[in-house]
Amino acid sequence: QLQLVESGGGLVQPGTSLRLSCEAHRFSLDWHTMGWFRQVPGKGREGVSCLNDNDGSRYYGDSVKGRFAISIDRRTNTFYLNLNTLQPEDSAIYYCAVAEYHRCSGPILEQEYNYWGQGTQVTVSS
């Protein structure tokens, strides 16, 4: 079965950085759309970033523009989210996701993604 395995979360101090990884198993990321979401208790999943493999276009949520970056390593079939200048409000469970039938064009919509990672906790605190 298709599977996404996440890693890289942890407890960090404000102003520091993390890199989250999402490794795809049993399928290729080629020709797909990749996304990152985050969720805090009591709220739905917020779209953070997405990447269209067909043309390399990237999009970011307003709250993370200029601080986060999405990328892909095709050799290892893994995509990443670099989280820079982390703030306490960035604390959340972060989920990676892959869409088969949609490409992202600005809005990063949870309902468009078919496959999901298990989530990894990011906590930003002094």
Side-chain angles (χ1 to χ4, degrees), residues 18-49:
L18 282 175
R19 174 176 287 187
L20 307 183
S21 299
C22 185
E23 184 178 7
H25 292 255
R26 303 183 187 92
F27 74 102
S28 174
L29 293 170
D30 293 350
W31 309 107
H32 288 80
T33 295
M34 290 143 276
W36 287 96
F37 297 79
R38 64 188 183 186
Q39 187 171 31
V40 298
K43 299 186 68 175
R45 292 182 184 181
E46 174 192 6
V48 173
S49 184

Side-chain angles (χ1 to χ4, degrees), residues 28-126:
S28 174
L29 293 170
D30 293 350
W31 309 107
H32 288 80
T33 295
M34 290 143 276
W36 287 96
F37 297 79
R38 64 188 183 186
Q39 187 171 31
V40 298
K43 299 186 68 175
R45 292 182 184 181
E46 174 192 6
V48 173
S49 184
C50 61
L51 168 65
N52 295 305
D53 187 61
N54 64 334
D55 62 4
S57 57
R58 296 160 165 83
Y59 299 91
Y60 298 93
D62 289 342
S63 63
V64 305
K65 286 180 180 177
R67 296 191 298 120
F68 292 6
I70 189 170
S71 62
I72 183 172
D73 185 340
R74 299 186 182 189
R75 187 186 68 83
T76 60
N77 208 35
T78 301
F79 66 101
Y80 304 92
L81 185 70
N82 290 322
L83 300 81
N84 301 309
T85 318
L86 283 162
Q87 304 298 319
E89 54 265 36
D90 296 316
S91 297
I93 301 175
Y94 283 73
Y95 297 90
C96 62
V98 171
E100 282 192 285
Y101 309 116
H102 294 271
R103 66 182 303 274
C104 66
S105 57
I108 306 166
L109 303 175
E110 177 184 11
Q111 65 196 49
E112 296 179 348
Y113 291 79
N114 307 98
Y115 306 105
W116 292 85
Q118 80 279 11
T120 185
Q121 178 71 50
V122 173
T123 303
V124 185
S125 176
S126 299

